[in-house]
Amino acid sequence: MSSKPINTNTVAGRAWPHRANELGDRLPDGFTIGVASSAFQIEGAARDGGRAESTWDPFTATAGRIVDGSNASVSTDHYNKLPGDLTLLSELGVDAYRFSFAWSRVQPDGRGALARTGLAFYDRLVDGLLAAGIRPMATLHHRDLPLALRGGWLNRDTASRFADYAYELGAVFGDRVDAWVTLDEPATVTLAGYALGTDAPGEARLFAALPAAHHQLLGHGLAVQGLRAADVRGGIGIANAYSPVQPASDREADEVAAVLFDLLHNRVFADAVLLGSYPAPPEPYETELRLLLETEPEDLRTIHQPLDFYGLNYVQPSRVAAGPVPIDRGGAVAGGGPSGNGAGGARGEAGAGSGPRGPGSRGPGSRGPASRAGGPGGPGAAGSGVGPRTAASAGRVDENAPVVSFPFHVLPFREFTVTGAGRAIAPEYLGVALTELATRYGDALPPVYLTSLGASFPDQVDGRGAVDDPARIDYLAEHLVAALDAVAPGKPAAAVSLRGALVWSLLDGFEWTAGYTQRYGLVRVDFADPERKRTPKSSYRWLQQVLAAR
C-alpha cells in the first residue's frame, strides 16, 4: 500500500519549456534517455511481407471496440517510412530506442521457422539504429499475440511457443540488440484483455483470468532462458505496470479492496518475477485466488530468473473503494469516464475493475496456474466478453452489455489535473512507486528503467502547421525530476539504481481502444494525410535541447 508522496520544490517549478538546459544538467552521467514505441501501434503494413493477424486485428474490426472506429492496418506506416523515422531518431539525439517485434510478422503461425521478409524489416531497423549510434532495446511481446495461437495466454502451450520465439530472435539479433524486454505490461494484458474484456482478446473471466497471468510469467521465465541459450550480448528484463494504491477511506472494506487491487495489478507480477513467489491472497478472497496457492514450485523457479534490469511503467496512482463499479439508473458509470474509472485506456492502465459482458459470457473456465492442460482450461469461469467497450471509454454502458466487475472500483484523484486521456498528473507518486519497489524487493530489485514515460495531450496546431505542446514538456520534466529526487542519496528510494527513461512515444500512434483520439508522440502524425506527414512538436525540440545540454 502506498504512503503519502514527498513534496519537492523542484517538481513544483514548472515553466519547463524554457528550462531544457537545467534539466540536461540534472541528468546523471550515463543516464539513458530514449524513446519507445510498439509494433502494432505504429508499423501498419498489416498485410505486407507475410504478416498474419494478431489478436488485436479482429478485435479492432468488431463494432464498438475502438472509440473512433479505427484500426491499425496503416497507422503511421512506420514499416514503409522507416528511413525518415530513423532520421527523426538520429536528429533527436537519443541514446536508445525501444521498439517491439511483431510476433505475427516474424513468425506468422506463432511457431516454426521465422519469416525472412519479416526479419528483413527488423534487420533494417536495428542496423539503422546502430549506424546512428542509438542502442536498440527490443521488446519480444507488446500485447499483439499471433491469432494462430489458439487459446492465447490461457493456453499453457503459448508459454513454450514464446520461449522458442525468443530463442530464434536471440539467435538472429543477439549480437546487435543492447537490451531485451520479454513482455510489456502482463498485468494490462491479463486484466484488460482476459479479466474484463475491454482489450484484445476480449475475454471477461474476472478471477478466472489468472491462468493468463501465470502463463505470461511462465513465458517470461522461459524466454529469459531462451535468450541466454542463444547467447545474446544485451541485458534482459521485463516491463511491468505499477500503480501505487490507496484505499478510498479507512473503512475495512476499502482497505481490503485496495490490498486486492494492489495484488492483482502490482504484486502478482512483480513478486513472481523478483521473489519467485505469488503473494498471499487477502482472507476474504482466498477462494477466488486459490490458484495462486496451487502453483507448482517448478513453475515459480522458472519465472524467477536473474534479470539485468527491471522496467517500470508508471501512469498514475490508484484510489480503490470496495464494491463493484456503481451504475446509475441512466446506464452511466458513476464517476466514470477517462479519469481512471475505466479498465484499459489509451495507455492500458487497468483501472476500475469493470468491463462489458456480452452474450454467451458463461463460457468455459480454467483449471488455474498449476494446470498442465494444453488448452484454455476447464469449467467454472466467465467466458468471452463481446460487448462494446462502453464503461471504459465513454462512461456509458450498453443496456445489452451488462458490466462485469471485480469487487472493487477505482476513484479519480480529483486533486490532480489530468492528461488528455484523463489520467492524473501525479509525478510525486512516481517517487512513491520507486520507494515501494525498493521497500518490497530490496536487493532482489535489479537496476530500473522507466520504460514508458509519457502522456497524451491535445495537439494545438497553428496556421503554419507547427505544434506547441508545453503540457507534455512539463509532464516529462516533472516526472523525470521526481524520479531523480526519489533515488537521490538520503531519499526513500535511494537504494534503487535508476538507469534511464524511455519516453512514450516518438510518434503519435494507434492507442489501443482509444484509436487515434489520443496523441502521445513527440512527433505529430497527420492520419488524414495518405502520406502520414510527420511534424516534430515543440516537445521534440525541447528534448533535443535537453540531450544536447548534458
Side-chain angles (χ1 to χ4, degrees):
M1 305 302 296
S2 72
S3 57
K4 295 290 185 180
I6 296 174
N7 291 322
T8 59
N9 293 330
T10 50
V11 172
R14 291 276 180 175
W16 284 108
H18 308 292
R19 299 166 65 190
N21 290 345
E22 178 185 340
L23 183 59
D25 288 340
R26 280 289 311 269
L27 297 177
D29 291 341
F31 189 86
T32 295
I33 294 290
V35 289
S37 68
S38 87
F40 188 80
Q41 294 179 268
I42 68 167
E43 281 184 6
R47 302 298 181 196
D48 293 3
R51 178 190 179 274
E53 287 193 323
S54 76
T55 52
W56 273 91
D57 290 285
F59 187 85
T60 60
T62 303
R65 289 295 195 182
I66 309 303
V67 169
D68 57 2
S70 63
N71 61 58
S73 60
V74 178
S75 187
T76 75
D77 202 21
H78 175 66
Y79 183 88
N80 292 306
K81 298 189 176 300
L82 178 60
D85 291 342
L86 286 170
T87 299
L88 286 169
L89 285 165
S90 177
E91 292 180 352
L92 182 56
V94 290
D95 305 311
Y97 177 57
R98 181 184 169 213
F99 67 95
S100 72
F101 291 103
W103 191 349
S104 59
R105 190 181 297 283
V106 299
Q107 196 181 47
D109 294 329
R111 65 185 74 232
L114 300 184
R116 186 172 302 174
T117 52
L119 290 175
F121 170 72
Y122 297 106
D123 272 326
R124 295 193 299 273
L125 171 58
V126 171
D127 289 347
L129 292 171
L130 292 173
I134 299 169
R135 302 193 299 271
M137 175 182 275
T139 302
L140 294 174
H141 178 255
H142 198 120
R143 312 190 198 182
D144 52 341
L145 192 73
L147 189 62
L149 294 175
R150 298 302 176 187
W153 288 111
L154 292 171
N155 187 341
R156 184 184 176 92
D157 186 61
T158 299
S160 297
R161 302 286 68 75
F162 187 58
D164 294 343
Y165 161 72
Y167 173 80
E168 295 293 342
L169 282 179
V172 175
F173 295 98
D175 62 338
R176 291 176 284 169
V177 168
D178 185 71
W180 297 84
V181 177
T182 55
L183 299 172
D184 181 82
E185 296 193 10
T188 301
V189 172
T190 300
L191 295 175
Y194 289 91
L196 304 174
T198 56
D199 282 8
E203 299 279 347
R205 294 172 172 259
L206 296 179
F207 289 107
L210 283 173
H214 181 71
H215 296 155
Q216 285 180 86
L217 292 169
L218 182 61
H220 155 77
L222 292 170
V224 174
Q225 293 178 343
L227 290 170
R228 294 208 165 108
D231 199 25
V232 301
R233 70 169 182 82
I236 303 171
I238 189 173
N240 266 338
Y242 193 95
S243 176
V245 180
Q246 289 183 357
S249 75
D250 58 4
R251 292 172 52 240
E252 182 179 1
D254 287 345
E255 291 179 348
V256 171
V259 170
L260 178 61
F261 180 92
D262 184 40
L263 182 148
L264 291 172
H265 188 276
N266 297 327
R267 294 192 56 204
V268 161
F269 303 92
D271 283 21
V273 167
L274 298 176
L275 301 179
S277 62
Y278 284 126
E283 185 175 348
Y285 298 103
E286 287 179 344
T287 299
E288 290 86 348
L289 298 172
R290 67 187 182 280
L291 304 178
L292 298 180
L293 303 176
E294 297 170 357
T295 303
E296 295 181 10
E298 180 184 348
D299 280 2
L300 289 169
R301 285 192 292 271
T302 299
I303 294 168
H304 182 41
Q305 296 294 311
L307 296 179
D308 300 299
F309 65 90
Y310 189 82
L312 168 62
N313 287 6
Y314 164 80
V315 175
Q316 64 179 356
S318 298
R319 180 173 287 154
V320 181
V325 175
I327 308 294
D328 69 23
R329 279 180 282 181
V333 178
S339 59
N341 262 18
R347 290 292 303 120
E349 180 78 356
S354 70
R357 183 181 66 197
S361 61
R362 298 288 180 184
S366 172
R367 292 189 181 94
S371 170
R372 291 288 177 183
S384 297
V386 295
R389 189 181 187 275
T390 49
S393 60
R396 301 293 301 176
V397 177
D398 188 331
E399 292 177 359
N400 297 317
V403 169
V404 295
S405 178
F406 282 117
F408 55 75
H409 58 284
V410 176
L411 300 175
F413 280 76
R414 300 194 185 280
E415 59 267 40
F416 295 117
T417 56
V418 297
T419 68
R423 304 306 187 197
I425 301 176
E428 52 267 56
Y429 277 92
L430 174 53
V432 172
L434 290 164
T435 299
E436 289 183 358
L437 288 175
T439 301
R440 288 178 170 179
Y441 303 110
D443 292 341
L445 182 69
V448 171
Y449 287 85
L450 306 178
T451 36
S452 184
L453 180 62
S456 165
F457 294 98
D459 280 352
Q460 303 296 325
V461 185
D462 68 18
R464 298 174 291 107
V467 182
D468 189 24
D469 55 343
R472 176 172 290 105
I473 293 171
D474 281 339
Y475 182 97
L476 294 174
E478 290 172 11
H479 281 75
L480 277 170
V481 169
L484 293 172
D485 282 351
V487 302
K491 295 297 180 68
V496 175
S497 176
L498 185 63
R499 298 291 181 85
L502 289 303
V503 173
W504 189 274
S505 179
L506 174 67
L507 304 172
D508 292 334
F510 181 82
E511 288 295 336
W512 309 114
T513 54
Y516 299 106
T517 65
Q518 302 296 329
R519 292 181 176 270
Y520 284 78
L522 299 172
V523 176
R524 177 180 172 83
V525 178
D526 185 353
F527 295 107
D529 179 0
E531 296 301 316
R532 298 302 195 265
K533 180 182 177 182
R534 274 83 159 133
T535 302
K537 305 176 187 180
S538 59
S539 57
Y540 176 97
R541 304 299 181 194
W542 172 83
L543 184 58
Q544 197 175 46
Q545 186 177 348
V546 170
L547 294 171
R550 292 184 293 178

